[in-house]
Amino acid sequence: MNDTTPALSQERTELGRSLARALDADSGGLAAVLLEMLDRVAVLLAIKEVATGRYLHVNPAMAELFGRTQAAMLASTDADLMEAAQATAMRAAEQTALAHATPALSQHRIERDGRKREFTVTRMALPAAEGEGARYVMCVWVDQTAALQREHQLQQALAQLEQQQLAAEVLRRETQDQSLRDATTGLYQRIHFDDQLRREVDLSSREHREFALVSIALDPLSEVVKSLGTDARIRVLEALGRLLRSNTRAMDASCRLDEDRFAVLLSGVGLATAHSRMEGLRRQCATQIVVLEGRDLGFTVSMGVASFPHTAHSENDLMQASDTALREAQKRGGNHVALASIRFELGAS
């Protein structure tokens, strides 16, 4: 590289001595070899004067970054090459490097000709003569643009793959769930309900806690519903299904047992609480507005509430207890919630 001024030539001579001191060498020969090697690898190299920020040495890659020749880069400063904010950031990073005895690493983004490039820059102060402060700082720039782009693309691909996996899992669950649900009401079918009831009995037996089972039946439909036929009946069933789903929690289970019979399993709920909740649901059914062809269909339900283990001690006994309570509600004229009888057992004397 050709020096441009005698003063700059003198600075570079002193720079060679600093490099030699950095390498514990007696001459600048080894330093020259080091600079030559760095010129041949995929890094951008610059050596700057601390006091002024002038570039005293750059390799071809560094000069190319700023669209200048190596000779034109010499004696330039960052303020000549970059925007003010970038130049200030460079200066601050250099001051940080001067305060450390070990190399300091920083990240920088350089925008040239509309293209943004990302660099990691390693800086280290070159040793000065005894008793003097550091006069030079060596900067080794490594272009991370392509690596970061690949990492970003990989992250995007992984994110897309994760989204596809989540979508596939949601679809699988929805498909599985749909196969277990009644198409008209959206409630679970009998096979799922039976499995849920068995699990709840086992869980409550182990943990000694209560749960409730509610048998539900549609009361005889009005003459309006009968006159409008199948479409009206479907509209009523859809409305009941919505009310049952909205009044049960994720841990509960509501099911359509047959044409007009339904059941609700209330996990961890006692008899009194179950009765209160079902009474609220009964009132909602009785006041629900269901319209077809401009006519209010209206419907009511009867319910029988039983609990485990207070009214029954087995799965079959629990079903029978809730069905018995349901029949009692129907005997009272429908639109009623009846409680199953609580069994009182005498303990052994």
Side-chain angles (χ1 to χ4, degrees):
M1 184 182 302
N2 294 324
D3 296 337
T4 56
T5 66
L8 189 57
S9 178
Q10 183 178 355
E11 283 289 352
R12 298 201 64 214
T13 299
E14 178 57 31
L15 173 60
R17 296 193 185 101
S18 290
L19 285 170
R21 285 192 290 271
L23 297 169
D24 292 326
D26 294 331
S27 69
L30 187 54
V33 171
L34 172 62
L35 294 179
E36 179 69 21
M37 290 180 64
L38 288 174
D39 282 348
R40 294 178 180 274
V41 297
V43 297
L44 289 70
L45 174 67
I47 299 176
K48 302 169 69 176
E49 186 180 28
V50 171
T52 64
R54 294 183 304 162
Y55 285 88
L56 300 178
H57 174 85
V58 296
N59 68 353
M62 176 63 82
E64 182 182 357
L65 173 64
F66 293 103
R68 300 193 178 194
T69 64
Q70 289 175 270
M73 285 283 292
L74 299 183
S76 297
T77 66
D78 289 327
D80 302 321
L81 304 171
M82 310 174 189
E83 295 179 355
Q86 288 181 329
T88 300
M90 294 291 176
R91 190 67 171 169
E94 289 166 8
Q95 295 301 316
T96 300
L98 292 172
H100 294 80
T102 57
L105 185 67
S106 60
Q107 309 286 333
H108 297 281
R109 175 180 292 177
I110 302 295
E111 186 169 352
R112 300 284 300 173
D113 301 325
R115 180 190 176 198
K116 293 179 181 179
R117 296 173 65 180
E118 304 280 350
F119 293 90
T120 58
V121 181
T122 304
R123 297 178 175 86
M124 184 172 183
L126 297 179
E130 187 175 352
E132 296 182 3
R135 294 181 60 184
Y136 311 104
V137 60
M138 176 181 286
C139 313
V140 178
W141 295 42
V142 178
D143 192 345
Q144 299 289 346
T145 307
L148 290 174
Q149 287 176 343
R150 288 193 297 271
E151 181 180 354
H152 180 66
Q153 291 169 352
L154 178 60
Q155 289 175 346
Q156 284 186 318
L158 290 174
Q160 290 175 356
L161 180 60
E162 183 177 5
Q163 290 176 349
Q164 290 171 357
Q165 290 175 336
L166 288 174
E169 178 63 17
V170 169
L171 179 60
R172 183 191 67 79
R173 290 180 179 179
E174 288 179 349
T175 303
Q176 183 182 41
D177 195 50
Q178 289 171 0
S179 68
L180 296 173
R181 288 186 182 271
D182 172 62
T184 302
T185 63
L187 303 175
Y188 285 114
Q189 297 184 54
R190 181 66 184 256
I191 185 171
H192 173 83
F193 186 82
D194 288 343
D195 289 341
Q196 188 76 8
L197 179 58
R198 281 191 292 269
R199 285 195 293 268
E200 194 68 27
V201 168
D202 291 341
L203 180 64
S204 296
S205 297
R206 292 196 306 270
E207 297 185 358
H208 304 289
R209 66 185 182 92
E210 251 186 311
F211 75 92
L213 177 64
V214 186
S215 291
I216 303 171
L218 269 173
D219 291 330
L221 297 174
S222 68
E223 293 301 320
V224 173
V225 175
K226 293 177 181 177
S227 67
L228 292 174
T230 302
D231 288 345
R233 182 179 179 80
I234 291 175
R235 190 68 60 87
V236 168
L237 290 170
E238 289 173 345
L240 177 57
R242 285 194 299 271
L243 288 172
L244 286 173
R245 295 197 306 274
S246 65
N247 281 274
T248 51
R249 305 160 298 173
M251 65 188 71
D252 300 330
S254 51
C255 166
R256 184 179 184 184
L257 299 179
D258 56 35
E259 191 67 20
D260 294 322
R261 292 286 304 282
F262 305 85
V264 174
L265 188 155
L266 299 172
S267 180
V269 171
L271 194 63
T273 302
H275 178 271
S276 176
R277 288 177 57 182
M278 292 302 103
E279 179 61 29
L281 175 60
R282 181 198 63 77
R283 288 195 294 267
Q284 288 184 49
C285 292
T287 57
Q288 184 75 13
I289 297 175
V290 184
V291 178
L292 180 66
E293 297 182 6
R295 304 177 72 181
D296 185 11
L297 306 180
F299 68 95
T300 61
V301 295
S302 297
M303 303 183 188
V305 183
S307 73
F308 180 94
H310 290 91
T311 59
H313 300 288
S314 69
E315 179 183 338
N316 289 334
D317 288 347
L318 186 63
M319 289 292 295
Q320 290 177 6
S322 64
D323 285 346
T324 299
L326 171 61
R327 288 192 292 272
E328 179 62 27
Q330 291 171 324
K331 287 179 183 178
R332 296 178 188 178
N335 192 23
H336 193 84
V337 180
L339 289 175
S341 300
I342 297 178
R343 293 183 179 182
F344 293 96
E345 297 180 358
L346 296 175
S349 56

